[in-house]
Amino acid sequence: MAAIELQTVVKTFPNGVRAVDGIDMTIADGEFMVLVGPSGCGKTTLLRCIAGLEEVTDGAILIGDRDVTDVAPKDRDIAMVFQNYALYPHMTVRRNIAFGLKVRGTPRAEIAARIAEAARLLGLEELMDRRPLALSGGQRQRVAMGRAIARRPRVYLMDEPLSNLDAKLRVRVRADLAQLHAQLGVTTVYVTHDQVEAMTLGQRAAVMNAGKIQQLDTPQGLYWSPVNLFVAAFIGSPSMNLVEAEIDDGSLRFAGFSFPLAELGPDAARLPRRVILGVRPEHLVELGESPSPPWSIEAEVTVEENLGAEVLVFFPIDAAPVETDDIISVREGEEQALLAQDARTLFSARLPSGRRQHIGERIRLGLDPERCYFFDPVTGDSLLERDVVDEPIPVTAQA
Amino acid sequence: MNRGADTAVALPARRRRRKRWTLARLATDLFLYALVLVLAVMFVAPIVWGFLGSLREAHSGVSGDVIPNPAHWDNYRFAWSGLFPFSHYLWNTVVLTVIVTVPAVITSALAGYAFARIRARGRNTFFIFMLGTTFIPFAIIFIPFFWVVVKLGMYSTRWPWLIWGISGSAFLIFLFRQFYSSFPTELDDAAAIDGCGHLRTFVQIYLPNSAAPLAVGLIWLGTNWWGEYIYASLLLPDRLAPLGVKVANAYNDPGQQITLVPITLAAAMLFTLPPLLAFFLLQKKLTRGILTTGLKG
């Protein structure tokens, strides 16, 4: 096991693209670190730099106090699990696991022992004489893990290892990975674009955009206290509701709603005239028959998704969608909507199931000012710090 | 190569949808079948004609019944052991074919791997330049080449064949490059992390997954060099000459100043047999190679 230290790592490709832009990061010995961000944010390039598969343009990489910046991948004492598993198609499972050890001249008895250990740990005993083509996606994933485990490296690097699995299997393998890390305790750097994986697996996660780390924090820290609009929009599923608001005459106004700023307490004085207001869907509370508090909105439900334990309701409000660079970056990695979007902002709320809301009905929702976020519309920086709350983070799995 | 990394296990057999017959579809199919039939006749007819001709009476020339009666099978015996030691020249052919083909296929595979996988400045320019060499007409290089061979003291030896082999084939390099470009790059990454350099990655990962283009290369280059005539007749003495040269020149009846066409044809049939057998043995891999190397659109 070893700590990893990245010192102002820069990677510029020959075509001029600066994929990694001065990353400084220390990953503790035995830590499970997740690099998360939309497609093209530089997370995989950074992982490949750590692996030695890409030469860094500038900066230094240390693994366990040893400068490995110019060291070949094979000499970095790492093992990597790839998105498409990268199993050698002509070799059996046994030979796939043994290959790296053989190349390194490990004694035969030692190889056999390590293969047996990895096979037992991952339940591969029955598959040892099969070739990758005869394995299912989940089995291939396990073999790829087995290959990494048998090497007994100081660092595991994982490049979106679950993205080729179906949604159900992904949940199971995710749990297995967490368990495996707890057992082995090896320093792991895990790349994903899936924030659910980031939030559930990582002890810490680095949210990346445009080659830079936007925020490096625990999953709770990222969720409860995003430092900027990008992190706020990226973390959470469904995404945080965002709308441009104006502060005028002691009130916060948007889409025809007006909230007294006094509810925010002394923080209100720090807010500029124009802000972007953010509210997580789970922080909107249905008011039902109770009287409306000062911070409440009312809208017509257009879409309802019943998830069993809870229900997601979507409703438009009369304000233009926020279109800052950060939001566009987040959306670039997402699927395009099926229908043309209307010009209004679509809000969502995560409500407990049991209520019988019908599409087309009006709904009244209350906002907790303490759980509202405010961002600078120009820089995207968070304007008010929020405390990290020790509550489970509700995220809906992405397919 | 198989897509071990991204193909699911046993996929259920795809149910074939029954096509509905329409007049346009019928006309298209009839045209295609007719075209295939014409092409098949064009390719097979010379072989059938040669075979039937090889069974005629030795002095009958090119005339006579289409189907000879009686069939003179002894022409084959005479071709094998009559005027010259057939097996000796057959062996010469095998040696020349092997010393060109085997190194050429290996070298081409290696070069194809390098062009597909090793990042180097000017790689694509060099590749285009290399491909351009295939457009240089043989007639232009023939005399300089002969001069070089003589100056290097390789005249009347098999060395030029080995050098051709080691030099590889531009077409095969292209073929292997196309094939290797379709390999997932993660395989290279996994091999690099496992401790492989380029050579080991090529030998232990790429080459074992190259059965299809190797078959294409061996058959294509093998059949070309099996029937080679010009270089062999120009550069090699009789004792090293391949069968192609010998068959073309040997069966002149000195007494009557005529060529014994049926015996020549019988020898040609025997000469054609090994490449035909190789083709049928490797046919499946050949078809797959053509499909997987991008030779077919």
Side-chain angles (χ1 to χ4, degrees), chain A residues 302-374:
Chain A
T302 53
V303 178
E304 186 179 87
E305 289 179 359
N306 200 328
L307 304 177
E310 57 198 10
V311 61
L312 298 178
V313 294
F314 295 84
F315 49 93
I317 59 163
D318 290 326
V322 176
E323 296 286 359
T324 66
D325 289 347
D326 286 336
I327 301 300
I328 290 165
S329 300
V330 172
R331 285 186 190 148
E332 270 172 3
E334 295 174 355
E335 296 292 325
Q336 294 295 308
L338 180 64
L339 300 175
Q341 301 294 293
D342 68 16
R344 295 176 297 174
T345 299
L346 193 66
F347 264 37
S348 59
R350 182 193 293 269
L351 305 173
S353 71
R355 65 180 292 286
R356 290 191 59 79
Q357 183 62 49
H358 296 290
I359 293 171
E361 280 185 9
R362 292 193 75 76
I363 187 171
R364 288 190 313 122
L365 298 160
L367 290 76
D368 179 356
E370 290 298 314
R371 293 191 171 181
C372 286
Y373 297 86
F374 299 90

Side-chain angles (χ1 to χ4, degrees), chain B residues 105-118:
Chain B
V105 169
I106 293 170
T107 308
S108 303
L110 200 53
Y113 168 81
F115 278 123
R117 283 294 184 255
I118 299 177

Side-chain angles (χ1 to χ4, degrees), chain B residues 156-287:
Chain B
S156 293
T157 70
R158 288 176 176 137
W159 279 106
W161 272 257
L162 190 63
I163 289 168
W164 276 315
I166 292 167
S167 310
S169 146
F171 171 70
L172 284 188
I173 292 171
F174 170 74
L175 183 124
F176 276 105
R177 177 192 181 255
Q178 294 301 101
F179 184 69
Y180 290 147
S181 295
S182 70
F183 277 44
T185 51
E186 283 91 344
L187 275 185
D188 300 62
D189 296 339
I193 287 171
D194 275 340
C196 298
H198 279 303
L199 190 62
R200 195 193 276 262
T201 304
F202 170 73
V203 172
Q204 297 203 323
I205 310 296
Y206 276 68
L207 213 51
N209 287 294
S210 308
L214 286 175
V216 172
L218 287 173
I219 288 181
W220 180 74
L221 214 55
T223 47
N224 275 0
W225 283 98
W226 184 266
E228 204 285 318
Y229 177 81
I230 295 177
Y231 286 122
S233 58
L234 192 77
L235 299 176
L236 290 175
D238 183 70
R239 66 184 171 82
L240 296 178
L243 199 52
V245 174
K246 206 65 188 167
V247 167
N249 301 324
Y251 297 103
N252 290 320
D253 185 332
Q256 300 181 38
Q257 292 294 310
I258 60 163
T259 302
L260 300 172
V261 174
I263 292 171
T264 307
L265 287 172
M269 284 294 123
L270 291 174
F271 178 56
T272 313
L273 215 53
L276 268 181
L277 281 176
F279 172 78
F280 286 119
L281 282 175
L282 297 174
Q283 189 190 20
K284 210 171 173 181
K285 293 244 181 288
L286 185 72
T287 317

Side-chain angles (χ1 to χ4, degrees), chain B residues 87-165:
Chain B
S87 56
H88 170 79
Y89 292 98
L90 185 65
W91 175 246
N92 281 350
T93 312
V94 170
V95 171
L96 288 178
T97 306
V98 168
I99 63 173
V100 177
T101 307
V102 173
V105 169
I106 293 170
T107 308
S108 303
L110 200 53
Y113 168 81
F115 278 123
R117 283 294 184 255
I118 299 177
R119 283 184 278 186
R121 191 184 290 268
R123 179 181 70 171
N124 290 340
T125 312
F126 191 64
F127 179 68
I128 290 166
F129 177 74
M130 187 274 307
L131 269 188
T133 61
T134 57
F135 297 104
I136 298 173
F138 170 67
I140 290 178
I141 57 165
F142 189 67
I143 292 170
F145 177 77
F146 180 76
W147 185 80
V148 168
V149 167
V150 171
K151 286 289 176 192
L152 290 175
M154 293 178 180
Y155 185 71
S156 293
T157 70
R158 288 176 176 137
W159 279 106
W161 272 257
L162 190 63
I163 289 168
W164 276 315

Side-chain angles (χ1 to χ4, degrees), chain A residues 6-266:
Chain A
L6 307 179
Q7 297 175 347
T8 327
V9 173
V10 174
K11 172 64 190 176
T12 308
F13 285 108
N15 61 5
V17 172
R18 202 174 170 89
V20 176
D21 193 1
I23 300 276
D24 284 297
M25 182 197 286
T26 303
I27 301 164
D29 190 358
E31 185 177 11
F32 198 118
M33 170 67 76
V34 177
L35 305 179
V36 64
S39 301
C41 71
K43 56 191 186 296
T44 295
T45 307
L46 181 60
L47 189 81
R48 290 174 61 81
C49 287
I50 298 172
L53 297 170
E54 299 285 352
E55 279 180 31
V56 299
T57 313
D58 204 0
I61 298 171
L62 282 76
I63 297 179
D65 295 333
R66 177 180 164 225
D67 189 341
V68 295
T69 314
D70 298 315
V71 173
K74 67 185 171 75
D75 299 322
R76 294 191 178 201
D77 205 2
I78 52 159
M80 191 157 170
V81 181
F82 296 88
Q83 184 174 359
N84 72 358
Y85 321 130
L87 300 177
Y88 306 124
H90 60 295
M91 295 183 191
T92 60
V93 168
R94 187 187 311 279
R95 286 186 60 210
N96 259 290
I97 297 174
F99 185 72
L101 299 170
K102 266 189 188 167
V103 172
R104 285 176 157 73
T106 313
R108 271 189 189 183
E110 174 74 13
I111 292 175
R114 290 207 204 173
I115 291 174
E117 185 194 359
R120 195 179 55 249
L121 195 63
L122 296 162
L124 293 170
E125 289 101 332
E126 304 293 314
L127 310 173
M128 297 307 277
D129 296 316
R130 289 204 206 162
R131 290 189 181 184
L133 198 64
L135 301 176
S136 68
Q139 288 168 335
R140 286 176 200 171
Q141 180 56 54
R142 281 192 279 151
V143 177
M145 280 302 304
R147 183 165 68 175
I149 288 170
R151 285 269 318 285
R152 291 185 190 161
R154 295 205 294 170
V155 172
Y156 289 130
L157 304 175
M158 303 191 188
D159 186 10
E160 308 213 26
L162 307 187
S163 60
N164 280 356
L165 303 179
D166 64 55
K168 207 170 176 182
L169 191 56
R170 206 181 303 170
V171 174
R172 202 192 126 186
V173 179
R174 204 166 63 206
D176 290 347
L177 273 178
Q179 197 183 342
L180 211 55
H181 178 257
Q183 274 182 42
L184 302 172
V186 177
T187 313
T188 304
V189 185
Y190 185 102
V191 161
T192 181
H193 67 272
D194 182 347
Q195 49 147 317
V196 180
E197 283 174 34
M199 304 299 267
T200 51
L201 282 171
Q203 291 170 325
R204 282 194 301 160
V207 180
M208 290 185 66
N209 185 33
K212 290 182 173 159
I213 292 179
Q214 301 293 312
Q215 187 171 353
L216 173 59
D217 210 332
T218 59
Q220 279 76 16
L222 295 175
Y223 178 83
W224 290 107
S225 186
V227 295
N228 60 29
L229 200 52
F230 180 85
V231 177
F234 188 80
I235 298 294
S237 179
S239 298
M240 182 183 280
N241 299 304
L242 296 164
V243 64
E244 280 200 43
E246 209 169 87
I247 290 169
D248 184 30
D249 200 18
S251 297
L252 179 77
R253 298 177 205 276
F254 70 93
F257 302 113
S258 179
F259 306 149
L261 272 180
E263 299 277 325
L264 266 179

